[in-house]
Every structure is written in structure tokens, then in C-alpha cells.
């Protein structure tokens, strides 16, 4: 059976018309076999320093073997990635394929100006992508990424259900010591942090992985907003009203004021890590928790094991919890079931083997076998199936980093950049039963993970105008937000001055631009 799958994959990529592959275009030159020269494909790869890319990953080598391709990945530091992509698209000197991108912002304008291939025009060449969209019922989600001309210019990653990958993590052993129940609200969290601070006066109970953006995007939605550099709208200062279906100036609302007031209280009382303003690297963050200098954090579940292994504290136990309820309900950061994905720069269409490239990419990342490879690795090497259940190799289950991180580090499985099909139940096999339980609990909650707001249908002129407004608005917000939380500015005495400054730099005009171009 496996030999047949591999043969079918090779023939499909070669452009041979197979039963069930509803293709419209064929080309005699497209008929290749695995005995012929591999198709050479260059790709940009967004590289995370904590999970660095390796050309010898099992996933990469197996993908090349199965598809008769040679994949030339160019790892680019994630901090520089958007800049590099922008340069490539503006100059036309990029790779054949760009991973981990969408057509929000500048990419949308570039697409409409011919820098990207409207991949929807070649839908007959992406049968695997089409099949996954249909299987997950994501047709409307794909329509939502179409641009003003009605076409989509990238193949997004596809999720069967939203994945609760991180949130509030705190010391469960201390929760039990204090006789407290699982926190359900931000007031519950405050009580816990306060008790810990009283017993450990030299601690800062709540710390944060990386910078404050992680805290903001995971907690603001419970206050009805999403603001800052990683805001769900991509605007920095506007938020989305899910009931009314429009944008509002979240940065100058009472909702934001209530959020800033809560964090300012934590900061003033020594409950919030004062180093949060600057990115806290993973080792330093882990050390704070492992030694008891902090007792709670906002981070990701797969990092719990690494912290626990470093702690000398007897009975030390971290646990992750569902989103806490705030004034607007209990919500985590909004997520789309279609996220970052694959773009094809316009120059790729000039290659004689363009069709083969598209078919190869579709097969590598979106076929059932390809999706399984990027998630689980190779059966018999990284895992086996026993009584219908996935069982990982001993070297993986016994690795100190845990299954999820080991799979990424050693084999390239589960990397956001290359895993384009996400099936939650399959992902849960990389974690313990506890995490599966938490995800099931979150899935049952009412809109715990809200969808990403729709991107506006800007033309070039409006997109440029919005971009010009965004920079000073975001800079102004970031400065005032930091001052409010750290107490440099008073939320009551200085609020009117803040709102006046935000108005002076154009927040109302910015809001109007977005609402005039809301995708209906």
C-alpha cells in the first residue's frame, strides 16, 4: 500500500492525469518519474532560534524522496523574515516559494500589483489542498482570504479546530497548598499572586515568556480588545466587535482602560515581573519559575516539561488552565482556521516546470501522507500504530524536552512553517492526557478562541494611507500603554491627554478607513 501511495504521489507531481485528480491541464513535458532528475525548488523559511531549521531533518529528506524534488530551504531569522520577504517581492529576486506568509497588509497590495501568482487561477493543480478544505468545511474561510479581485494568492495552513497551544500556566502545587480552586477569573489569579507574594516578598509572581506581546494577545480578548504589535486585527489600535461585525477604536475605550488598570495594579503591588517590557529569553524565564522567583506565567504547554526538569523544588508542578474570564467573558487570543501559508512569487510562473512545482508543493504539504509526515514523521522510525493508537519511539518519549519539542528539534515535525494541515486529535498525541483534557475543555467553552477578524478590502491607495496612519498610532499607544502599566502615567489624571494625542495622530480617520472597507 505504501509503495502504491508513493508511486501515485510521484505520478501526481509529474503532472500525469490520475483517476480522481480532476485536472484540466496536461503537458507532455510534465510526465516525469522518480528515475529522472529531481525538480529543484527554492524556498524561504521563517526560522525560530529556539527550534532551528536543519536541512537533514527526516521530514525534509523524506519529502524530497517521495516527490522527486530537491528543496533548497533558505532559513531566515523570524525577526527579519517579513523584511526579507518584502524585499524579494518588491524586487522580483526572491525564491520559487515563500512559506509562512499571508496577504494581509503590504503583501495584499503587492499581490494585486502582480508580485504574487493568483494561485486560485490554478486550483486544478492543487487537488490535495482542495480536498483538505472540503474535508474541514473551510470553503468560507478560503473565501475570506480572497482579495479585492476575488482571487486568493496563497495556500493557507488548514486547521480542523482551533488549537489551544498556550495560556495561563501556574504552580498547581502552590494552588493546592493555599487551598485555592482552579482559577476561573482574573480576580482569582490576583488572589493567588497576592498570597504568593506575601510568602515570597522578593518574588515577582507573574512573569512572561518573550515580551509583553505574549501576555497581551492571550489576555486582552477577555476584556473585549486586542491591541499592540500582535493585535488580531493587524491594526495595532483597533479591535473587532464580534456582535456588530465592525471595527472600533479599542485603544481609547473603557475596555482598554480596565485592562491597563488591572495590569497597573499588579505592577504597583510587585506581582508583575518588571522585566516584562523587554523580551525575556527562554532560559531566564525558565529559571525564574524553576527557582520560585515567579509562580505563574503566560506561555506554551510544551515548555512546561523543560521548566519542571530544572526545578530543585520538591513537589514542583506546573499546570496550564483554560482562558480566564474578564469583563467580556473568557477568551484566548483569536485564531483563524486558515493561517500563514505558501505564496508563489510571480517569477515562478516563468519556469517551464511551473505546473510541476505547484503540484509538488501541493503534494508535499497538503496530501494526507504529506500532512502526516510533517506532523508525525515516518512510521517505523518516529512512531508506530498499535491498536489504532499512535505510539512514539522510546528515544522521543524519554527525551527531557518532551515529545512535541523533540519532534520539532530532531525531525522537523510540527513546525509552524512547514506543517500546513493541523488535526487537533493527532496533535494531542504529542502531549500527555492532561493536555488533551485541557484542549477538550476549551473546545466546549463558548467562543473561547474567537476567529481572526476579517481583513479589509483595501486598494493600493487606501492601504498606503492606512499604513501611514498605523505607525504613529501604534508608537503612541505603545508608549502610553507602558507608562500606564508602570505607573509613569495615571489612568485617571492622564487619560484625557492620552485620548487627545491618539485623536491628533488620526485614530478616528484610521477607524473610518477600516469600517468603510469591511469585508461583508
Amino acid at each position: 500500500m505504501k509503495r502504491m501511495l508513493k508511486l501515485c504521489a510521484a505520478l501526481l507531481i509529474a503532472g500525469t492525469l490520475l483517476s480522481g485528480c480532476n485536472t484540466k491541464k496536461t503537458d507532455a513535458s510534465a510526465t516525469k518519474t522518480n528515475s529522472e532528475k529531481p525538480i529543484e525548488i527554492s524556498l524561504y523559511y521563517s526560522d525560530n532560534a529556539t527550534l532551528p531549521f536543519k536541512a537533514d531533518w527526516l521530514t525534509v529528506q523524506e519529502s524530497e524522496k517521495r516527490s522527486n524534488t530537491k528543496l533548497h530551504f533558505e532559513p531566515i531569522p523570524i525577526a527579519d523574515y517579513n523584511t526579507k520577504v518584502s524585499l524579494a517581492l518588491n524586487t522580483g529576486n526572491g525564491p520559487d516559494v515563500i512559506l509562512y506568509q499571508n496577504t494581509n497588509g503590504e503583501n495584499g497590495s503587492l499581490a494585486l500589483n502582480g508580485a504574487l501568482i493568483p494561485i486560485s487561477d490554478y486550483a486544478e493543480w492543487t487537488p490535495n489542498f482542495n480536498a483538505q478544505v472540503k474535508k474541514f468545511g473551510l470553503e468560507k474561510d478560503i473565501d475570506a482570504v480572497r482579495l479585492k479581485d476575488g482571487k486568493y494568492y496563497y495556500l493557507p495552513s488548514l486547521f480542523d479546530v482551533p488549537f489551544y497551544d498556550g495560556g495561563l500556566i501556574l504552580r498547581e502545587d502552590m494552588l493546592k497548598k493555599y487551598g485555592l480552586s482552579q482559577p476561573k477569573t482574573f480576580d482569582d489569579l490576583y488572589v493567588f499572586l497576592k498570597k504568593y507574594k506575601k510568602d515570597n516578598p522578593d518574588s515577582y509572581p507573574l512573569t512572561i515568556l518573550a515580551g509583553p506581546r505574549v501576555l497581551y494577545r492571550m489576555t486582552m480578548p477577555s476584556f473585549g480588545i486586542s491591541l499592540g504589535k500582535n493585535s488580531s486585527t493587524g491594526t495595532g489600535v483597533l479591535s473587532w466587535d464580534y456582535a456588530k461585525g465592525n471595527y472600533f477604536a479599542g485603544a481609547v475605550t473603557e475596555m482598554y482602560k480596565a485592562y491597563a488598570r488591572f495590569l497597573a495594579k499588579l505592577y504597583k503591588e510587585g506581582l508583575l515581573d518588571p522585566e516584562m517590557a523587554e523580551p525575556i529569553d527562554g532560559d531566564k524565564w525558565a529559571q525564574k519559575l524553576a527557582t520560585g522567583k515567579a509562580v505563574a506565567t503566560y506561555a506554551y504547554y510544551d515548555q512546561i516539561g523543560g521548566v519542571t526538569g530544572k526545578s530543585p523544588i520538591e513537589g514542583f508542578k506546573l499546570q496550564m488552565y483554560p482562558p480566564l474570564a474578564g469583563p467580556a467573558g473568557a477568551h484566548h487570543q483569536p485564531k483563524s482556521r486558515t493561517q500563514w501559508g505558501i505564496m508563489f512569487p510571480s517569477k515562478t510562473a516563468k519556469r517551464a516546470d511551473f505546473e510541476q512545482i505547484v503540484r509538488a508543493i501541493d503534494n508535499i504539504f497538503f496530501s494526507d501522507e504529506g500532512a502526516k509526515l510533517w506532523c508525525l514523521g515516518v512510521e517505523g522510525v518516529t512512531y508506530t500504530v498499535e491498536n489504532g493508537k499512535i505510539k512514539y519511539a522510546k528515544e522521543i518519549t524519554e527525551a527531557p524536552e518532551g515529545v512535541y519539542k523533540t519532534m520539532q528539534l530532531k525531525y522537523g515535525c510540527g513546525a509552524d512553517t512547514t506543517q500546513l494541515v493541523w488535526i487537533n486529535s493527532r496533535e494531542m498525541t504529542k502531549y500527555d492526557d492532561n493536555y488533551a483534557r485541557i484542549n477538550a475543555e476549551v473546545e466546549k467553552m463558548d467562543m473561547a478562541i474567537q476567529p481572526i477578524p476579517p481583513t479589509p478590502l483595501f486598494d493600493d491607495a487606501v492601504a498606503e494611507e492606512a499604513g501611514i496612519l498605523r505607525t504613529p498610532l501604534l508608537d503612541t499607544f505603545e508608549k502610553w500603554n507602558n507608562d500606564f502599566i508602570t505607573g509613569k502615567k495615571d489612568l485617571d489624571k492622564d487619560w484625557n491627554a492620552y485620548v487627545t494625542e491618539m485623536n491628533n495622530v488620526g485614530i478616528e480617520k484610521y477607524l473610518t478607513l477600516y469600517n468603510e472597507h469591511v469585508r461583508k
Side-chain angles (χ1 to χ4, degrees), residues 98 128 163 221 324 385:
I98 297 176
N128 294 294
F163 181 41
L324 300 181
V385 179

Side-chain angles (χ1 to χ4, degrees), residues 253-506:
T253 60
E254 289 298 315
M255 289 179 279
Y256 164 63
K257 194 175 185 179
Y259 180 78
R261 193 182 299 282
F262 177 74
L263 290 190
K265 179 172 73 169
L266 297 187
Y267 191 92
K268 183 178 181 180
E269 296 180 16
L271 306 179
L272 182 60
D273 193 335
E275 293 184 330
M276 67 170 279
E278 299 298 327
I280 299 173
D281 69 58
D283 289 339
K284 190 174 183 180
W285 165 83
Q287 195 67 15
K288 287 172 183 278
L289 288 164
T291 59
K293 292 295 183 183
V295 72
T297 189
Y298 274 86
Y300 300 92
Y301 188 86
D302 62 289
Q303 291 157 318
I304 288 178
V307 177
T308 303
K310 294 179 179 180
S311 179
I313 301 171
E314 186 176 351
F316 183 96
K317 185 180 180 182
L318 289 174
Q319 176 64 287
M320 191 170 86
Y321 298 90
L324 300 181
H331 302 293
H332 186 52
Q333 69 185 81
K335 291 184 178 180
S336 172
R337 290 174 62 201
T338 57
Q339 297 184 25
W340 15 251
I342 300 173
M343 303 191 311
F344 298 84
S346 57
K347 73 163 195 158
T348 309
K350 299 175 182 178
R351 286 185 48 161
D353 56 357
F354 173 46
E355 179 176 346
Q356 289 93 327
I357 290 174
V358 173
R359 289 186 179 278
I361 292 298
D362 173 65
N363 183 68
I364 289 168
F365 294 108
F366 291 103
S367 68
D368 285 340
E369 286 301 304
K372 189 180 293 184
L373 171 65
W374 290 105
C375 176
L376 303 176
V378 176
E379 187 172 356
V381 179
T382 55
Y383 74 99
T384 56
V385 179
E386 298 181 10
N387 299 318
K389 292 188 176 182
I390 293 166
K391 183 177 180 180
Y392 292 98
K394 186 176 180 181
E395 66 177 32
I396 295 173
T397 58
E398 294 183 354
E401 296 86 1
V403 173
Y404 182 81
K405 194 168 184 178
T406 301
M407 290 285 282
Q408 283 202 350
L409 286 169
K410 190 168 184 179
Y411 302 103
C413 298
D416 287 343
T417 308
T418 46
Q419 186 172 328
L420 280 295
V421 177
W422 296 78
I423 298 173
N424 204 42
S425 59
R426 194 155 69 189
E427 286 303 308
M428 288 299 102
T429 65
K430 299 177 184 178
Y431 301 94
D432 52 28
D433 292 340
N434 177 61
Y435 191 35
R437 175 190 60 78
I438 295 168
N439 256 265
E441 187 176 339
V442 172
E443 193 173 338
K444 291 177 182 177
M445 295 171 68
D446 182 25
M447 289 283 283
I449 303 178
Q450 299 163 313
I452 295 286
T455 53
L457 295 172
F458 287 158
D459 57 27
D460 287 351
V462 177
E464 183 178 0
E465 185 178 3
I468 291 171
L469 287 167
R470 183 182 186 274
T471 299
L473 280 166
L474 183 56
D475 288 347
T476 301
F477 168 74
E478 294 282 355
K479 181 182 182 303
W480 276 92
N481 179 60
N482 180 72
D483 287 351
F484 282 141
I485 292 172
T486 59
K488 294 177 183 176
K489 297 287 186 181
D490 186 275
L491 273 160
D492 294 314
K493 296 177 182 178
D494 298 312
W495 180 257
N496 289 340
Y498 160 66
V499 173
T500 298
E501 187 169 345
M502 290 295 283
N503 285 330
N504 288 342
V505 289

